[in-house]
Amino acid sequence: MNKIVMSREVTALVAFGILIASGLFFNIVPKTVFSHIGLSLYRMMTGYIISIIVGTTLAVILGMNIYIRTAVKPLLSFLMSIPTIAWVPLLLIIIGINEQSIIIAIFLGSFFAVVFNTLEGFDNVPQVYFRAASVMNYGRLHMLLRIAVPASFNGILVGWKLGIAYSWRALVGAEMLGAATGGLGYLAFASRKFYNLGMLLYTLAFIGLLGYLLNRFIIASIERKTVRKWGIT
Amino acid sequence: MGNNVSVVCTNVTKNFGELGVLEDINLTVQPGEFAVFLGPSGCGKSTFLSLVAGFDFPSSGNIQVMDMDQAKPGKHVGFVFQEYALFPWKTVLGNVESGLLNLEKAERLDRAMFYLEKVGLEDFANEYPLRLSGGMKQRVGIARALAYDPDILLMDEPFGALDAQTRKYMQQELHRILEGFQKSVLFVTHSVLEAVYLADTVYVMSKRPARIVYREEIDLGEERHYTGDRFLQYREEILHYLNAQTGISE
Ligand SMILES: Nc1ncnc2c1ncn2[C@@H]1O[C@H](COP(=O)(O)OP(=O)(O)OP(=O)(O)O)[C@@H](O)[C@H]1O
Ligand SMILES: [Mg+2]
């Protein structure tokens, strides 16, 4: 009972509910707000999940070889430093003003962070685990999947967590830059056009709260089942 | 080379850059022999065991293990690590099973539970290592190393984190578990009592860079106690050599 009352997710969820209800009640946000939210969440999850799958798999493959790992990390670190929003004009030129551009922007937002942090996690696995596994005849693949991945899960989750934040920003940015005719970024931009300050502020609050909720619901629940239970945070 | 010896070290030297850690180690461990290594802290005991396991190479000299010309890691070796090295993402049972992946599920479970019972932790099978005390973790480490039935056991201060009672119990248990098996054991400890109680052969190492400064075969007959004239004689003598290395005056 106490746990439910105290839970940060629930508090944020309630705040979100109150915000939407009041926004609708006082006619500050349009009734279409739900479809804008739905559209943003849908784009976000598509791009983000693809980036997690592709990014983690790629990192695991690259991680098999310490030389490749050492070689690609500076490159990733460079790519990670480019704000994702800076890719968007390029995407708009190459891919066009459409849905794919937005999804790719979301993908790029988290992809580099996911790969980089997974590789970083591999580098920080205590050597003694590999030693323990090597006397038990673990081959390369077992070493990677049974030792390196779980042992570096904390680093992997850091990548996934950063990925959510970066993807969410990329999404809102891409929606604002005119790649979309819907979504929260579009709504924020539209309210500016009509000098609708109330709608703008409400939309910003939605963006912030949803970003927070995504992080808590996706990452916190994985954390509870893994690194927290194992005590390797 | 035949199978008539377990470990043969020939002129083994190990440096980490400028730092000399092992110097000209020569020794042979027979199948079934229990060899105990004592020496000042930081002298190179753990380094020595990791060379025998094949985790690292000697800077010069050679280590033959079983029928291999050079030590390399594999299931012929069971290693009990000074820092436990349990996998935190696996339960106690999962840890003990981790060296048994080649077995059928049912057999794997049987075997793991058998060794968990031997170390008295069957009730903790489904706990994660996080919830265990240092002594319990060490016992899981021992069960994990024994479970796949290695020929050579390398044990790095395996009872260091145990309270005096459990420690004595584990010494007797280990002695009992190993009875009837032809396992060679290379065992590192700081306790002279433990050394005399368990060993067939005791080695004392010098300060870094470690050399073997003393070797004695322990013959206590069938009876193993922590007292008795012979026992105390061995203890005095080993203590004498050890103190000389740590710089303790008598
Ligand atoms: N990989 C390494 N690189 C550099 N120096 C090392 C390495 N491993 C060990 N050493 C050094 O070698 C020396 C011997 O270390 P080792 O762990 O073998 O000692 P030990 O006898 O096991 O000590 P203790 O009784 O405290 O466990 C120490 O000075 C240590 O700092
Ligand atoms: Mg040591």
Side-chain angles (χ1 to χ4, degrees), chain A residues 98-190:
Chain A
N98 55 30
E99 205 62 20
Q100 282 95 304
S101 294
I102 302 177
I103 308 278
I104 293 174
I106 297 164
F107 173 86
L108 288 176
S110 95
F111 179 72
F112 300 121
V114 168
V115 180
F116 182 84
N117 282 283
T118 306
L119 292 181
E120 183 90 346
F122 286 166
D123 280 343
N124 291 325
V125 176
Q127 202 195 18
V128 74
Y129 294 146
F130 292 120
R131 291 185 162 191
S134 73
V135 291
M136 300 191 291
N137 271 350
Y138 279 35
R140 254 182 129 67
L141 192 67
H142 275 191
M143 218 47 127
L144 197 69
L145 298 181
R146 290 180 181 272
I147 306 293
V149 169
S152 56
F153 211 67
N154 215 12
I156 293 178
L157 279 181
V158 170
W160 292 8
K161 213 184 291 193
L162 283 175
I164 289 187
Y166 292 169
S167 282
W168 189 242
R169 287 173 209 186
L171 162 80
V172 175
E175 286 174 343
M176 278 189 173
L177 283 189
T181 50
L184 286 171
Y186 168 84
L187 197 60
F189 206 70

Side-chain angles (χ1 to χ4, degrees), chain B residues 45-47 82 156-157 188:
Chain B
K45 303 180 295 297
S46 297
T47 304
Q82 188 169 5
D156 199 350
E157 300 185 35
V188 168

Side-chain angles (χ1 to χ4, degrees), chain A residues 129 134-135 137-138 146 150 230, chain B residues 55 74-75 86 88-89 98-99 128:
Chain A
Y129 294 146
S134 73
V135 291
N137 271 350
Y138 279 35
R146 290 180 181 272
W230 308 334
Chain B
F55 298 148
K75 274 193 173 173
L86 299 186
W89 56 91
S98 58
Y128 282 87

Side-chain angles (χ1 to χ4, degrees), chain B residues 6-28:
Chain B
S6 289
V7 179
V8 183
C9 297
T10 319
N11 305 326
V12 171
T13 298
K14 180 70 185 174
N15 313 307
F16 291 113
E18 295 283 276
L19 188 77
V21 177
L22 298 172
E23 194 170 280
D24 202 26
I25 307 279
N26 287 284
L27 59 87
T28 301

Side-chain angles (χ1 to χ4, degrees), chain B residues 193-206:
Chain B
L193 277 182
E194 186 166 278
V196 180
Y197 178 80
L198 288 169
D200 296 317
T201 317
V202 171
Y203 293 90
V204 176
M205 293 175 135
S206 70

